[in-house]
Amino acid sequence: MKQLELAGIPRPVSQLALGMSDRDDYAQAAPILDAFHAAGGTLFDTAFEYGRADAVLGQWLAARRLAGQVSVIGKGCHTPDCRPDSVAPQLEASLEALGLECLDVYFLHRDDEAVPVGEWVDAIDPHLRAGRIRRYGGSNWSTARIDAANAYAARTGKAGFTALSNQFSLAEMIAPPWAGCRSAGDDASIAWLKRTGTPLFAWSSQARGFFTDRAIAASPPDPELVRCWHSTANLDRRARAMELAARRGVTVAGLALAYNLAQDFPVFPLIGPLNLAELASSLDALTVELTAEEMRWLKG
Ligand SMILES: NC(=O)c1ccc[n+]([C@@H]2O[C@H](COP(=O)([O-])OP(=O)(O)OC[C@H]3O[C@@H](n4cnc5c(N)ncnc54)[C@H](OP(=O)(O)O)[C@@H]3O)[C@@H](O)[C@H]2O)c1
């Protein structure tokens, strides 16, 4: 798995990150964490919001003596606690559950646009200076709000946002799976990512299973997948992904994930396989190098 440098993080991180949502149970999670790590995975995405996920990841890091050897993305301030005064207690709780002194990347899990951006910067900057986080960013934040926050940070000599975690996949999100979520798949967001060089930690990078054989075969299709992903453009993209996957001898889900890996701006796809078979089909992405022409054709 490709390992990449990220400024401020003392070790290279894998381009794929394993997501910890829905990993409340250690016995179920540990084999998936082990298999991901054995495949070269060194980046994990967790959140205060994800039930026992911080604790499960912490237990696994301790059991495998990997604390400080791999990189952890944490998140806090999800609604209804989307307030600057939630940063300190939620960060402290995550660090405690994870058994870590520092998170490599910390995301504000949501934004409340009624809160002036400077109040968020003021709440996070002390934690970066104290070494509790190495870099931070916005998840489900607009690029305009991040620009405003960074202007405030520059004016006041504080640390600014250096990461974005919005949705991004070969399928464009037509409705958010969860209220308050944002995609970075639109042209303006992509232009911003290219212009600023901000790394994108792309969630639902496999469009919640839209590209799996099971979803393709389902009749009628899963209503939640229909609500979020079934546009004509996305169904056409999936048909092209099926054609190319058959030619390459890989799963359609893996081929779709390869599209994220081959972007010409820094993308770290977050994946959410729930079992070893889903992980294996996701890891197919690592065996496919898409050409620029194939990327254009897939997107249509
Ligand atoms: N910052 C945020 O707001 C935010 C939001 C969402 C997620 N995340 C993070 O991003 C991670 C990944 O997001 P996600 O879980 O939505 O990603 P995803 O990989 O697009 O979707 C995961 C779900 O889709 C199905 N699936 C995906 N790939 C599959 C495959 N190759 N084979 C078979 N089934 C597959 C599985 O559900 P079924 O088995 O039920 O089909 C799986 O639970 C999360 O774990 C979390 O850490 C962050």
Side-chain angles (χ1 to χ4, degrees), residues 113 117 141-150 182 192:
E113 297 194 356
V117 285
W141 272 59
S142 76
T143 56
R145 286 270 290 174
I146 293 180
D147 284 342
N150 284 349
R182 275 180 185 272
W192 182 89

Side-chain angles (χ1 to χ4, degrees), residues 5 19 34 41 48 84 86 93 133 169 177 184 186 213 218 223 227 234 237 248 258 262 265 281 284 287 300:
E5 302 283 344
D34 284 337
F48 179 85
S86 297
I133 56 178
S169 61
D186 58 292
D213 293 340
R227 184 178 75 80
N234 285 342
R237 287 177 184 188
R248 293 293 182 88
F265 56 92
S281 73
D284 262 10
T287 67

Side-chain angles (χ1 to χ4, degrees), residues 17-23 44-47 50 75 78 107-110 139-140 165-167 169 177-178 180-182 201-215 222 225 229 251 253-254 257 269-275 277-283:
L18 185 68
M20 290 299 295
S21 78
D22 299 314
R23 291 194 211 287
F44 300 84
D45 177 79
T46 182
Y50 297 162
K75 301 191 280 297
H78 196 284
F107 282 109
L108 295 167
H109 209 155
R110 289 284 191 278
S139 180
N140 305 297
S165 186
N166 288 1
Q167 193 280 330
S169 61
W178 304 275
C181 283
R182 275 180 185 272
F201 295 83
W203 56 260
S204 295
S205 57
Q206 300 182 91
R208 305 282 309 149
F210 172 72
F211 292 100
T212 59
D213 293 340
R214 195 178 49 188
D222 176 340
L225 291 182
W229 313 101
T251 58
L257 185 57
L270 315 179
I271 57 169
L274 290 180
N275 54 49
E278 289 186 5
L279 176 65
S281 73
S282 306
L283 295 180

Side-chain angles (χ1 to χ4, degrees), residues 62-268:
R64 304 297 184 262
R65 297 183 193 285
L66 284 172
Q69 310 295 308
V70 296
S71 300
V72 176
I73 302 166
K75 301 191 280 297
C77 303
H78 196 284
T79 46
D81 299 315
C82 188
R83 301 186 309 270
D85 66 4
S86 297
V87 171
Q90 293 197 357
L91 173 59
E92 200 176 305
S94 284
L95 289 171
E96 166 91 30
L98 285 158
L100 296 174
E101 287 176 4
C102 176
L103 288 174
D104 296 287
V105 187
Y106 191 67
F107 282 109
L108 295 167
H109 209 155
R110 289 284 191 278
D111 186 16
D112 176 351
E113 297 194 356
V115 176
V117 285
E119 292 184 21
W120 287 117
V121 174
D122 290 347
I124 296 192
D125 178 74
H127 299 290
L128 202 127
R129 288 182 195 281
R132 285 189 282 274
I133 56 178
R134 294 201 159 93
R135 49 195 292 161
Y136 80 92
S139 180
N140 305 297
W141 272 59
S142 76
T143 56
R145 286 270 290 174
I146 293 180
D147 284 342
N150 284 349
Y152 172 86
R155 270 200 315 279
T156 54
K158 294 185 173 159
F161 287 57
T162 57
L164 180 71
S165 186
N166 288 1
Q167 193 280 330
F168 184 81
S169 61
L170 175 57
E172 274 183 39
M173 185 174 92
I174 53 173
W178 304 275
C181 283
R182 275 180 185 272
S183 170
D186 58 292
D187 291 345
S189 296
I190 292 171
W192 182 89
L193 288 162
K194 289 184 181 176
R195 190 173 69 250
T196 62
T198 306
L200 173 66
F201 295 83
W203 56 260
S204 295
S205 57
Q206 300 182 91
R208 305 282 309 149
F210 172 72
F211 292 100
T212 59
D213 293 340
R214 195 178 49 188
I216 292 165
S219 177
D222 176 340
E224 186 58 10
L225 291 182
V226 171
R227 184 178 75 80
C228 298
W229 313 101
H230 275 230
S231 64
T232 306
N234 285 342
L235 291 166
D236 288 348
R237 287 177 184 188
R238 189 168 75 178
R240 288 191 289 273
M242 289 164 66
E243 192 183 320
L244 192 52
R247 283 210 298 272
R248 293 293 182 88
V250 294
T251 58
V252 187
L255 192 285
L257 185 57
Y259 175 83
N260 280 32
L261 295 173
Q263 293 299 320
D264 57 359
F265 56 92
V267 180
F268 294 80

